[in-house]
Amino acid sequence: DQQVKQNSPSLSVQEGRISILNCDYTNSMFDYFLWYKKYPAEGPTFLISISSIKDKNEDGRFTVFLNKSAKHLSLHIVPSQPGDSAVYFCAASSGRAGAQKLVFGQGTRLTINP
Amino acid sequence: DAGVIQSPRHEVTEMGQEVTLRCKPISGHNSLFWYRQTMMRGLELLIYFNNNVPIDDSGMPEDRFSAKMPNASFSTLKIQPSEPRDSAVYFCASSLRRPGNTIYFGEGSWLTVV
């Protein structure tokens, strides 16, 4: 029972173009969403997050969009750079006080081609 | 600032042996998480602790797995006896116990059971 799904195992994008990574969730109790980035042989690192009271959050080249009615979120990276090549994990949690149980998707491997 | 520290980084062991993975969370963090990453299932939460107390161990796959947190600065994940299907990367992570707070991951312990 995968509550958070990233249906694309991999994505290849040309340097300078936009990368769009997608994530779907099934649990309507989720109200906080995050993206983590993972390089080989390293632990995941936090990238950007969004609360369910918003539909967009932007941080530099990274923007996360949330569509609650569709239970869908996406991460946009523009412009894409070679250093963005990594595995990206979408994660979600319910925001009850003290609840921090993050549920992760399977990850999408992004490759930025020069 | 030291991040989450895990040991060993790599472990190769024979089926049936006991494996102990160790974690030192970030100083001051009061929540600790053990995750497992596999190709098939991505990042799965095994167990998490708040203030050294196990809160949710529903992700622990079997009785062969156990986790302890004897104090705020140390946790162990033990597998006994180990099986080849336990081969995975095990991540420890920590955070401050506040809704929406960022979870910081260690670099992982790569376990191979032969």
Side-chain angles (χ1 to χ4, degrees):
Chain A
D1 177 23
Q2 200 78 24
Q3 297 185 69
V4 178
K5 295 181 183 179
Q6 293 175 255
N7 292 318
S8 297
S10 63
L11 176 67
S12 187
V13 174
Q14 206 70 23
E15 181 179 358
R17 308 293 287 268
I18 184 170
S19 296
I20 300 176
L21 295 98
N22 293 303
C23 178
D24 298 295
Y25 62 96
T26 57
N27 189 340
S28 57
M29 297 299 292
F30 288 148
D31 57 6
Y32 190 67
F33 305 89
L34 309 90
W35 286 94
Y36 276 76
K37 175 178 178 179
K38 184 183 178 306
Y39 291 118
E42 294 184 10
T45 55
F46 170 75
L47 189 57
I48 192 169
S49 64
I50 187 167
S51 163
S52 60
I53 62 173
K54 295 185 175 181
D55 54 19
K56 176 183 174 181
N57 188 28
E58 193 171 350
D59 183 2
R61 297 185 298 112
F62 303 91
T63 303
V64 56
F65 295 91
L66 175 63
N67 181 334
K68 289 189 291 292
S69 60
K71 294 192 176 69
H72 176 84
L73 64 156
S74 61
L75 174 69
H76 292 211
I77 307 172
V78 55
S80 301
Q81 299 174 354
D84 297 328
S85 296
V87 177
Y88 289 79
F89 289 97
C90 168
S93 71
S94 61
R96 289 178 297 111
Q100 296 166 273
K101 186 174 177 177
L102 285 185
V103 180
F104 282 86
Q106 303 98 314
T108 297
R109 181 178 301 279
L110 175 65
T111 303
I112 306 301
N113 302 308
Chain B
D1 255 0
V4 176
I5 299 172
Q6 292 187 245
S7 65
R9 288 297 314 276
H10 299 271
E11 173 99 3
V12 180
T13 191
E14 290 185 347
M15 178 176 159
Q17 296 297 305
E18 176 182 303
V19 174
T20 299
L21 308 178
R22 297 173 177 81
C23 176
K24 177 178 167 53
I26 293 172
S27 178
H29 282 187
N30 51 9
S31 291
L32 183 138
F33 309 82
W34 282 100
Y35 281 87
R36 176 171 69 175
Q37 183 188 9
T38 60
M39 289 292 290
M40 293 298 294
R41 300 178 66 86
L43 271 167
E44 303 174 272
L45 177 65
L46 300 178
I47 185 171
Y48 79 94
F49 298 81
N50 281 344
N51 298 315
N52 313 338
V53 176
I55 302 301
D56 186 341
D57 66 354
S58 59
M60 296 285 264
E62 299 171 32
D63 290 345
R64 298 184 296 106
F65 285 68
S66 62
K68 293 183 179 178
M69 192 165 186
N71 57 62
S73 58
F74 183 67
S75 176
T76 59
L77 178 68
K78 186 177 290 187
I79 308 172
Q80 180 185 22
S82 57
E83 297 182 2
R85 61 192 166 123
D86 302 330
S87 298
V89 184
Y90 292 82
F91 288 101
C92 178
S94 71
S95 75
L96 282 170
R97 186 183 169 219
R98 279 202 300 262
N101 224 45
T102 301
I103 292 177
Y104 295 87
F105 283 81
E107 294 187 318
S109 291
W110 294 64
L111 174 64
T112 302
V113 183
V114 297

